[in-house]
């Protein structure tokens, strides 16, 4: 059992002061195990802030290494990390921030072969992946293992966030039945993204994760938040669970995982 | 007043200043059940105003605020929820 030291009381005092958190909520945060799919544009700020918040166990799945073109937005990595595995770079940055946090690195690509086993060790999943095959894989894996998922996506100046609580609200597949065909997204490698955008989206996801952990507030469950940075417009779109959804519907046809062909390697 | 109520827990936070006076008070309150009473001893003057105010803000009943023989502040509070 986690007991607060004087340093814990100081470090987390602004949380403990919140009526919705308190020492009880802070202990829940410490006990939580959160899996991040990707330590890129979205995963970087999520990992950094959840570590600061005191999430006790953070898992990171990422097989990529840090490149110079990542540093425009992936704030958990720095010049010294170029060439290093992103998950290891993130772990090292987190260890400098907060030694209360245990970071578990999974230096592999999420696939139908490994994801169920990895997810089983965590309570909540954050999808910050950069491609549709992974997005659908993580959605399906979370439904099949009954784990809440924060799903986020960024494109140019536009971002979306949705929280998926299996069988309580819609899943990603209720919204879009199948990934778009590869030729529809052919231009995505040249799409670009405003560097701060995945920060905004990632922190909205981190907020949902903390709400899930402390059991407070209203989640983006059944509502998709759409953010248009150029117009500075935040809009929530109501999304219903689809009773005929292939994975979370009443008679699901997806009962085990499959891998879609990777067709877009754009690294957000 | 403080002689008449049953104290379930005592918290000495002399030397602490705001906001840690309330942070530690809150952590102590969390260990009590509704109806139980906490006695807080502190010597940071602003906390003698802030701690009772914050306790009331969280729905608890401040039963007494006084100074003891050592000129420290003593707050008696009953947990309400
Ligand atoms: Zn669904």
């Amino acid at each position: 059992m986690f007991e607060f030291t004087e340093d814990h009381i100081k470090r987390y005092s602004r949380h403990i002061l919140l009526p919705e958190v308190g020492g009880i909520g802070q202990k829940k945060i410490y006990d939580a195990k959160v899996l991040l799919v990707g330590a890129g544009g979205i995963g970087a700020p999520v990992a950094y802030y959840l570590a600061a918040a005191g999430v006790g166990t953070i898992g990171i799945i990422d097989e990529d290494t840090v490149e110079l073109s990542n540093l425009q937005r992936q704030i958990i990595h720095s010049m010294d990390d170029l060439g290093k595995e992103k998950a290891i770079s993130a772990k090292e940055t987190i260890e400098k921030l907060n030694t209360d946090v245990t970071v578990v690195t999974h230096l592999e690509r999420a696939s139908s072969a490994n994801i169920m086993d990895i997810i089983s060790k965590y309570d909540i999943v954050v999808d910050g992946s950069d491609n549709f095959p992974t997005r659908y894989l993580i959605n399906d894996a979370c439904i099949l293992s009954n784990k809440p998922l924060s799903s986020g996506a960024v494109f140019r100046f536009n971002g979306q966030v949705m929280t998926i609580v299996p069988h309580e609200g819609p899943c990603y597949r209720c919204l879009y039945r199948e990934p778009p065909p590869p030729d529809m997204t052919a231009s995505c490698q040249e799409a670009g993204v405003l560097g701060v955008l995945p920060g905004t989206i990632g922190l909205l996801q981190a907020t949902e994760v903390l709400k899930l952990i402390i059991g407070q507030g209203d989640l983006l469950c059944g509502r998709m938040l759409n953010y248009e940075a150029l117009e500075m417009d935040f809009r929530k779109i109501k999304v219903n669970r689809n009773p005929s959804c292939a994975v979370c519907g009443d008679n699901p046809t997806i009962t085990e995982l499959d891998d879609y062909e990777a067709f877009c390697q754009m690294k957000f | 007043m403080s002689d008449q109520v049953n104290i379930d827990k005592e918290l000495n936070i002399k030397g602490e200043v705001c906001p840690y006076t309330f942070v530690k008070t809150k952590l102590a309150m969390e260990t009590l059940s509704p109806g139980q009473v906490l006695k807080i001893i502190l010597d940071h003057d602003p906390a003698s105003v802030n701690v009772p105010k914050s306790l009331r803000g969280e729905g608890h009943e401040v039963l007494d605020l006084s100074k003891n023989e050592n000129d420290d502040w003593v707050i008696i509070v009953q947990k309400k929820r």
Side-chain angles (χ1 to χ4, degrees):
Chain A
M1 178 65 184
F2 178 79
E3 287 301 328
F4 290 115
T5 62
E6 286 294 315
D7 280 352
H8 289 139
I9 290 172
K10 289 216 160 52
R11 182 184 281 268
Y12 304 118
S13 57
R14 269 53 175 183
H15 268 169
I16 296 167
L17 285 166
L18 292 170
E20 293 81 358
V21 183
I24 292 169
Q26 190 60 45
K27 283 179 184 167
K28 287 182 187 169
I29 293 171
Y30 179 76
D31 288 335
K33 298 181 174 70
V34 179
L35 176 66
L36 311 183
V37 182
I42 286 175
V46 174
Y48 219 167
Y49 266 93
L50 290 185
V55 169
T57 305
I58 297 177
I60 301 172
I61 311 182
D62 206 312
E63 57 163 7
D64 292 335
T65 53
V66 179
E67 294 174 23
L68 195 53
S69 64
N70 300 151
L71 301 185
Q72 169 246 24
R73 61 202 175 282
Q74 300 178 17
I75 55 158
I76 206 161
H77 314 301
S78 52
M79 293 291 288
D80 295 340
D81 301 316
L82 294 174
K84 198 179 280 178
E85 287 84 358
K86 286 185 184 178
I88 291 177
S89 165
K91 181 184 168 82
E92 290 173 358
T93 305
I94 288 170
E95 283 167 350
K96 276 182 254 173
L97 172 66
N98 190 350
T99 50
D100 297 341
V101 182
T102 302
V103 180
V104 182
T105 58
H106 304 273
L107 305 176
E108 52 200 318
R109 187 177 184 83
S111 75
S112 61
N114 62 17
I115 194 65
M116 291 301 278
D117 185 47
I118 295 173
I119 280 184
S120 70
K121 302 183 183 87
Y122 298 90
D123 310 314
I124 299 170
V125 181
V126 178
D127 185 8
S129 67
D130 49 20
N131 62 83
F132 285 106
T134 306
R135 186 167 298 282
Y136 280 80
L137 177 78
I138 300 303
N139 178 76
D140 296 353
C142 286
I143 300 295
L144 294 179
S145 49
N146 206 29
K147 298 281 166 86
L149 165 66
S150 169
S151 186
V154 291
F155 183 80
R156 292 182 173 163
F157 292 90
N158 167 250
Q160 279 147 11
V161 188
M162 189 163 95
T163 302
I164 295 159
V165 183
H167 308 291
E168 284 184 28
C171 77
Y172 198 73
R173 212 179 263 283
C174 292
L175 201 59
Y176 309 108
R177 198 175 287 263
E178 294 283 333
D183 58 330
M184 290 274 292
T185 53
S187 66
C188 68
Q189 294 195 16
E190 292 164 18
V193 62
L194 188 70
V196 294
L197 177 68
T200 304
I201 296 301
L203 292 191
L204 292 170
Q205 291 181 263
T207 307
E208 290 285 273
V209 168
L210 290 174
K211 285 160 60 186
L212 275 162
I213 294 170
I214 62 174
Q216 296 283 341
D218 299 319
L219 298 165
L220 283 172
C221 180
R223 311 179 287 167
M224 173 177 271
L225 183 71
N226 185 64
Y227 168 51
E228 298 285 355
L230 285 176
E231 290 80 33
M232 198 47 82
D233 182 55
F234 285 85
R235 199 161 293 186
K236 278 175 286 188
I237 302 155
K238 193 167 159 43
V239 182
N240 292 316
R241 186 174 154 263
N242 177 2
S244 60
C245 173
V247 67
C248 82
D250 298 335
N251 298 294
T253 53
I254 296 171
T255 52
E256 57 183 68
L257 297 174
D258 205 359
D259 292 308
Y260 288 96
E261 188 191 344
F263 49 79
C264 177
Q265 297 297 326
M266 176 67 186
K267 301 302 177 200
F268 285 126
Chain B
M1 172 79 197
S2 54
D3 302 325
Q4 296 153 19
V5 291
N6 196 26
I7 307 293
D8 294 287
K9 185 167 185 153
E10 191 170 307
L11 178 71
N12 186 331
I13 42 175
K14 286 172 67 172
E16 288 290 353
V17 297
C18 297
Y20 302 104
T21 39
F22 184 61
V23 172
K24 291 194 170 182
T25 296
K26 204 174 145 165
L27 291 172
M29 290 298 282
E30 285 180 2
T31 66
L32 301 181
S33 307
Q36 288 192 306
V37 173
L38 177 70
K39 176 179 177 180
I40 307 149
I41 301 161
L42 51 82
D43 57 8
H44 179 62
D45 283 330
S48 70
V49 179
N50 295 334
V51 169
K53 188 176 159 195
S54 296
L55 282 166
R56 287 190 198 99
E58 296 217 344
H60 305 299
E61 189 179 350
V62 178
L63 302 176
D64 193 40
L65 170 67
S66 58
K67 280 219 160 183
N68 68 9
E69 60 282 7
N70 302 320
D71 206 33
D72 299 320
W73 290 101
V74 178
I75 302 165
I76 309 290
V77 58
Q78 185 173 44
K79 182 168 169 130
K80 286 293 175 187
R81 59 195 174 105

